[in-house]
Every structure is written in C-alpha cells, then in structure tokens.
Amino acid sequence: MVGNTSPVVLMVDNDEHLLAAVRRALSGFFDFVTFTNAEQALEWLGENAGRVELIIADMVATRRGDCFLQRAARNAPNVPRILLAANMSGMSLRDAISQAMVTRVLAKPVSVSVLKDAIDRVMRLKKPVRKADSKLTALAVNAALDRGDFRPVLQPRFRANDLRLSGSEILCRMPMLEKDYSIEEIFASCHNHPVINRLTSQMMTVMINMAPRYHDLMGDAAYIGLNLSVYSLKHPEFLEQIIRFYERMRMRGVVVSFEIPERQISVNDHDLIANARRLRERGIALFIDDFGSGNNSLDLLRDEAFAGVKLDRDLVAGVTTDLLDDAFVEWIARVCSKLGLSLSAKGIKNRDLANRLQIHGVTEMQGFYLGAPVPLEEWEAAAQIALSDCG
C-alpha cells in the first residue's frame, strides 16, 4: 500500500537489484512504486496518475516498441520525468529528448545518494515560487513608474572561449521600491498585468534614445539583451511594438535579443510558441532565461522557436560543488551544440567556475566576477579612463 504522506515516485527499470536498493534506502523519504515491466507500469500509471509526483525510468521499451517515458508523458504530462541513461555516448541526444521529454538525465550506473539528490531537486522545483508580499501590487509598481523610480543598468556579457566582450544585458532597477522589496518580488507582482507592458515600453524608449551611445561604447559587440514577460509576448499589439523596436535599434547599429523566464513558459501555450516562431522568422532571437529552474526545460528545447538558453543562476553556482549540477550542465551543453543553440551562463562568481563552464562548452557568460551591472554613464567613464591610460 502506498502511503499518503511521502511523495509518490514511480520507477521503472530492468534492473531489479537497483529497484530493490532504491526501495531499501529511500523508502523513508519517498513512497516508491517500482516495475520492471513497462506495460504493467503504464497500466498502474493510468489508474494512479493523479497521485504520482515523479517518474524515473531507463529507456524501457513497451510492447509497441516505443519508449515507456514517451507513453508516460502522454498519460501524465504534468509529472516531471528523470531518465536513467546507460550509454549517453551511444544515444542520439535529439532522440532522447523527443522520446523521453525528461526533466533531468542521470548516467548509469547511478548511486542511491545521487538519485536521492536528483529527486530532492526536482521536488523543490515543483514547489511554487514565493509570491511577493501582498502589500506589493502591480498598481504600486505603476505608481513607482509615475514617480520616476526607474533606472536601467547594463551588465556586460562575454564570449566564453576568450572572455572578450560580446554584448550586454539591460536590467531594470527601481531604487526606492527596492528598499522594501527585491527586484524579483517587484517583477513577480506585475509580470501578468498590463503594467509590465508599460515598464518594458519605458525600457525600450530609453534604449532607442541611448542606441548611438551603446554603439559608440561597444562597437561591433553592440548586442543587447532585454527581458520580456510572457504576458507581453502574447499580447498581439505589444508583439508588434517589439518588432518595431527591434528594427529601430537595428537601424541605429544595435542588435537586440529577448529573454523570457522558463517558469512563465508552458510547452502547451500555443499562442506563445506561435509568437516566438514569428520572431524567429524575422531573425529576432528569443532565449529561454533561468533555464533549469522549472520542470519543462528539456521539452522546450524540442521547439525550434528559441535561439538558445541562459542557465539558471542556482544551477550555474553548483557546477563546481555539486556533481549532479555539473553533469546536467555538461549534458545540456552537448544538447545545445547538437541542436545549434546558444548556451549562456549567468552568475559567474569566480575564475574556477568560468574555467569549468569553458570546458563544458558554454558559449557566453556574465556575472559579477566578469562585470557588474552599472549605469551607462559609469561604463562610458570607465571606458574613457581605460582609453586614456592606453594613450
């Protein structure tokens, strides 16, 4: 009988010894339901999909010859999936994503401790993000914009292979409001409200006015990333505004790309995907930001609407200390290389982390170790000083 207090985990593997070891070691943390037979597992899942919080499986084939995880994804699409892969080097990564549609990949043989760490991580990602304080509303953010509590800053981005400047990301700061709330809480309070369109519009206006200075400062590296809300991207009139803004910036010598947070994206949001494809058709790059922070990361890579991904800051931070994070980032780098996608990492805090990500094949980096966010005027002043010193 499956208990009612612990998370229910369905695990399917041909190795009964592994299943037994997992049941013995982890039964105090999770309620495991295990099968060696894919058809029996699918029958059980069909009757109990609402109770299952995680599915773990090897590439076990069903009677029809397809992959168990492929069938499981149709039966329980909202349940995250972990793939146990016995031979990653011999497996087509594209096929693995297409068939398994997994949340994480673990290479076999896998220890029980590593498996527990992976389960804990996926379970944490399923928990809802803490909402902003109830006192902070979209109207409060709108009032802050009325007061002029708005300041854009630029954070430089660097090519991973040689750490040369490759562009920048423009970030919004609201100094007065940030005395009481984090910038994440501010955005969370209005990301699904028309005020986010106003905020983004103001960012665009500033960028258009400053475009000649961006180009003078960065030259051929005048590539600037701008964050968008999914709400904005799905709004038809605002989508047209995004396209016009991109074209106006391009005329001024600055190429703009856009980023949307993974947590706001649903693979079943057909309107969003259609608009993302429309941008791609016009040569406008759209990236998945905070990649690895949600449970549909790999599903999103299957769609050709996106130009690349930016790894989640917490995931990047664990690369030099957490074997699971390190293996996942290495694997994602291989996937992106196979699919021709850009792979960026933010939150670079030291040289060891930068070196490790270079080895994995990340294409771009940003973080306080490489360059902190600063107002345009400060960056220009620093560049002028550097030019004077060279002279």
Side-chain angles (χ1 to χ4, degrees):
M1 177 69 65
V2 176
N4 296 320
T5 59
S6 300
V8 177
V9 178
L10 171 62
M11 186 169 179
V12 185
D13 197 288
N14 292 325
D15 186 351
E16 177 57 47
H17 296 293
L18 173 61
L19 296 179
V22 168
R23 289 194 299 267
R24 285 195 304 271
L26 301 182
S27 60
F29 303 96
F30 312 102
D31 283 330
F32 273 93
V33 178
T34 61
F35 293 91
T36 56
N37 183 285
E39 294 298 334
Q40 293 176 0
L42 286 168
E43 183 178 352
W44 183 90
L45 180 62
E47 299 174 355
N48 298 276
R51 300 163 53 202
V52 179
E53 297 191 41
L54 177 64
I55 298 172
I56 305 171
D58 198 341
M59 295 295 282
V60 182
T62 68
R63 278 198 304 264
R64 299 191 328 195
D66 56 3
C67 172
F68 163 76
L69 283 174
Q70 184 179 15
R71 299 266 298 277
R74 292 197 292 268
N75 293 351
N78 296 321
V79 179
R81 297 168 292 283
I82 294 179
L83 167 65
L84 302 180
N87 182 14
M88 286 302 303
S89 61
M91 182 187 300
S92 164
L93 297 180
R94 183 184 286 272
D95 285 347
I97 295 172
S98 176
Q99 294 178 18
M101 295 181 288
V102 294
T103 300
R104 297 187 74 85
V105 177
L106 299 180
K108 295 178 71 174
V110 60
S111 69
V112 172
S113 61
V114 168
L115 185 59
K116 181 180 182 302
D117 190 13
I119 296 173
D120 285 338
R121 189 175 301 276
V122 172
M123 292 299 183
R124 286 200 305 271
L125 291 176
K126 287 188 66 178
K127 295 179 181 178
V129 179
R130 184 175 69 89
K131 294 184 178 180
D133 190 298
S134 59
K135 295 180 181 178
L136 180 62
T137 65
L139 294 180
V141 177
N142 195 58
L145 292 175
D146 289 338
R147 296 193 302 269
D149 183 20
F150 169 87
R151 181 175 63 127
V153 296
L154 288 165
Q155 181 164 28
R157 299 170 4 213
F158 301 86
R159 290 199 305 257
N161 60 344
D162 58 9
L163 297 185
R164 293 178 65 88
L165 183 70
S166 60
S168 64
E169 179 181 0
I170 190 163
L171 305 170
C172 175
R173 294 293 179 261
M174 307 185 79
M176 297 302 295
L177 208 55
E178 286 183 62
K179 290 181 179 180
D180 298 313
Y181 306 98
S182 70
I183 194 67
E184 290 78 16
E185 289 175 320
I186 293 170
F187 291 144
S189 71
C190 64
H191 78 86
N192 199 29
H193 187 278
V195 75
I196 194 65
N197 288 353
R198 182 188 178 195
L199 177 60
T200 306
S201 293
Q202 292 202 13
M203 295 285 282
M204 290 178 175
T205 299
V206 169
M207 292 176 69
I208 290 172
N209 293 334
M210 298 298 179
R213 293 168 64 183
Y214 295 150
H215 188 267
D216 289 343
L217 180 64
M218 293 182 281
D220 292 339
Y223 291 82
I224 298 182
L226 176 65
N227 293 284
L228 292 177
S229 168
V230 167
Y231 177 89
S232 298
L233 188 58
K234 291 175 61 176
H235 195 284
E237 293 182 2
F238 202 84
L239 179 67
E240 294 299 327
Q241 184 177 343
I242 291 170
I243 294 172
R244 292 195 300 270
F245 163 71
Y246 171 85
E247 293 172 347
R248 293 180 68 182
M249 291 294 288
R250 190 67 184 265
M251 292 174 60
R252 289 162 172 77
V254 179
V255 178
V256 179
S257 60
F258 300 94
E259 304 167 13
I260 52 176
E262 184 200 334
R263 286 188 178 276
Q264 294 183 20
I265 307 173
S266 168
V267 293
N268 298 317
D269 191 335
H270 302 298
D271 291 337
L272 169 65
I273 299 301
N275 286 349
R277 288 174 179 158
R278 183 178 175 192
L279 293 181
R280 183 108 192 224
E281 289 169 359
R282 299 187 71 116
I284 303 174
L286 181 64
F287 294 85
I288 306 170
D289 196 14
D290 297 326
F291 186 82
S293 64
N295 281 319
N296 58 358
S297 301
L298 299 185
D299 287 353
L300 294 173
L301 294 186
R302 301 174 61 243
D303 200 296
E304 297 181 355
F306 301 102
V309 302
K310 293 186 72 173
L311 295 171
D312 178 63
R313 188 184 310 275
D314 290 339
L315 181 62
V316 170
V319 164
T320 56
T321 58
D322 187 308
L323 292 177
L324 186 62
D325 284 345
D326 185 55
F328 186 67
V329 169
E330 181 180 17
W331 189 79
I332 288 299
R334 292 169 58 193
V335 171
C336 288
S337 178
K338 290 278 188 180
L339 301 181
L341 300 176
S342 171
L343 178 62
S344 301
K346 57 186 181 181
I348 307 302
K349 57 185 180 181
N350 55 54
R351 182 71 200 195
D352 288 343
L353 183 54
N355 288 342
R356 187 67 179 169
L357 291 167
Q358 284 176 325
I359 294 172
H360 286 337
V362 167
T363 54
E364 192 175 62
M365 301 183 195
Q366 67 184 72
F368 278 79
Y369 171 72
L370 300 172
V374 295
L376 176 60
E377 295 76 13
E378 286 189 28
W379 195 348
E380 289 175 323
Q384 188 61 44
I385 293 173
L387 186 61
S388 300
D389 290 343
C390 291

